[in-house]
Amino acid sequence: MISNPDFEKVDGLVEWLREVPYEVLRHGRLYNAEELYQGYEPSVDVVKDRVSFADCYDSRVYQHFIKQGKIARDINESVARSMHDHGIHTALIEFLKTHDPLRCIGIMGGHALLRTDPMFASVAMLSKRLTEAGFFMVSGGGPGAMEATHLGAWLAGRTDEEAQEAIRTLAAAAASFKDGAWLSSAFEVMRRYPQEQYVSLGVPTWLYGHEPSTPFATHIAKYFVNSVREDTILTIAFGGIIYTPGSAGTLQEIFQNAVQNHYLSFGIASPMIFMGKDFWTEDVPVYPMIHQMEERGRYKNLLLTLTDDPFEIERVLKDFQKTIPYVKP
């Protein structure tokens, strides 16, 4: 039985759902750059560009998110976010019906990776090759190594010279996502090198909304709840995950992925590829530790590779496709 005060609460919830600056019911649709950045008009004038960015859909949602609290203080807001993220999840399920997750490759790495860093170009060119080989790429959908992932997928089918020129254009315009022309230069490269053939999936979150989402991802599953977002990336990348240099977030993903593989949580153990020998053995020596734990039987079912060679990475991923012991339901 619902009392009169309960009806008032329901009325209040409905009104809240109407007023939030984001679409609560997504109806099975992922975002794309056009929708996420609706209202943004790139400008060479830095001040105008920033003002325009601050007024776009993505920024308005982030401002509302911060105002209401990263952990929602209001039950109405909590319900609204849950409904939104459920819609994104449903849309992602529909997306995966037409894009085989066994061909999905994840690339993890630092958001702070500069466009001028040689690793940025290496990730972009590797992603380009893998996309051309029939894989589709997924990342956390932000800047740094994530942007490089989707840039490479966007440039699939282009010559290597065109891809290198695009990378140079981005690096010259804005090395870091903190630089004013970071977003506008990305849209400029997309305009200069249009494409509709290849897809990639970005999975960002408003929890890290200060990091802009890369528009190079053709499909964007942006969540409020970061834990759902993190788990989603690691879960759907059945084809394997490549770890490029990163910090705390990347380390978290490594161990979370190792757990899934160890327990065969989804009926499959996928390749874990560490790209950057010096980084993963000297700077952040997580690879020797995991390898040693595997030898001692503390981890099982891990398919580990440590390399700097993009061609070896491609070979490992292609060889794995020939031996996948998994049948989709």
Side-chain angles (χ1 to χ4, degrees):
M1 180 177 178
I2 301 179
S3 64
N4 286 335
D6 290 330
F7 275 118
E8 292 177 3
K9 292 179 182 179
V10 172
D11 288 341
L13 172 59
V14 171
E15 185 60 29
W16 188 276
L17 298 180
R18 290 196 184 105
E19 295 298 323
V20 294
Y22 52 91
E23 189 176 13
V24 176
L25 299 175
R26 291 293 303 170
H27 300 297
R29 292 181 295 107
L30 295 174
Y31 290 106
N32 56 29
E34 181 180 1
E35 183 176 7
L36 201 60
Y37 288 112
Q38 183 179 13
Y40 170 66
E41 294 292 338
S43 174
V44 294
D45 185 310
V46 175
V47 175
K48 287 183 178 179
D49 191 82
R50 287 178 176 171
V51 170
S52 180
F53 172 71
D55 193 46
C56 75
Y57 174 88
D58 188 52
S59 296
R60 285 186 280 109
V61 175
Y62 179 58
Q63 292 159 13
H64 174 84
F65 175 74
I66 295 299
K67 181 179 179 180
Q68 294 301 318
K70 292 182 178 181
I71 298 177
R73 297 180 292 269
D74 188 292
I75 186 64
N76 293 332
E77 175 65 16
S78 181
V79 170
R81 293 180 187 180
S82 296
M83 293 174 67
H84 170 276
D85 283 5
H86 175 72
I88 291 295
H89 183 69
T90 301
L92 186 57
I93 291 173
E94 292 301 312
F95 172 84
L96 293 174
K97 288 181 179 178
T98 55
H99 298 84
D100 187 357
L102 297 178
R103 305 286 295 180
C104 179
I105 307 297
I107 295 186
M108 308 300 176
H111 67 272
L113 180 68
L114 298 178
R115 289 168 166 176
T116 51
D117 192 305
M119 180 59 73
F120 185 93
S122 295
V123 173
M125 298 306 291
L126 172 61
S127 178
K128 177 179 181 293
R129 287 181 57 86
L130 292 175
T131 302
E132 291 168 345
F135 296 101
F136 79 91
M137 312 304 295
V138 63
S139 87
M146 296 172 282
E147 180 191 33
T149 299
H150 298 287
L151 170 64
W154 183 270
L155 294 170
R158 298 278 179 180
T159 65
D160 286 355
E161 289 74 19
E162 288 176 309
Q164 293 290 352
E165 176 58 29
I167 294 169
R168 287 192 292 269
T169 297
L170 292 172
S176 167
F177 73 92
K178 298 178 181 179
D179 297 333
W182 183 87
L183 184 60
S184 61
S185 60
F187 277 108
E188 169 59 24
V189 166
M190 292 170 68
R191 184 197 63 78
R192 188 180 304 178
Y193 301 103
Q195 71 91 18
E196 296 180 352
Q197 181 178 354
Y198 299 98
V199 304
S200 68
L201 174 67
V203 191
T205 173
W206 277 291
L207 181 67
Y208 301 136
H210 61 287
E211 302 173 8
S213 302
T214 174
F216 290 114
T218 60
H219 295 73
I220 303 172
K222 192 156 190 175
Y223 288 89
F224 286 109
V225 180
N226 183 55
S227 58
V228 174
R229 168 252 192 175
E230 291 277 4
D231 188 68
T232 295
I233 299 171
L234 297 173
T235 298
I236 67 174
F238 284 125
I241 294 182
I242 302 162
Y243 294 99
T244 68
S247 57
T250 307
L251 290 175
Q252 173 188 329
E253 291 156 352
I254 290 170
F255 288 104
Q256 189 173 344
N257 186 217
V259 170
Q260 289 184 356
N261 287 326
H262 173 83
Y263 288 112
L264 298 177
S265 301
F266 300 96
I268 186 173
S270 304
M272 298 177 66
I273 302 174
F274 293 79
M275 183 178 178
K277 286 184 177 181
D278 289 344
F279 182 85
W280 291 120
T281 59
E282 301 293 335
D283 297 347
V284 181
V286 66
Y287 181 85
M289 186 195 73
I290 290 181
H291 183 62
Q292 187 178 72
M293 291 178 68
E294 182 190 34
E295 289 184 328
R296 293 179 177 179
R298 309 301 290 183
Y299 273 130
K300 298 179 181 179
N301 306 314
L302 300 190
L303 305 176
L304 302 175
T305 299
L306 174 67
T307 184
D308 290 313
D309 184 354
F311 295 99
E312 182 180 1
I313 293 174
E314 184 177 1
R315 178 187 59 76
V316 168
L317 295 173
K318 286 182 175 178
D319 286 349
F320 177 67
Q321 288 292 311
K322 302 173 185 176
T323 61
I324 292 177
Y326 177 79
V327 178
K328 290 193 299 180

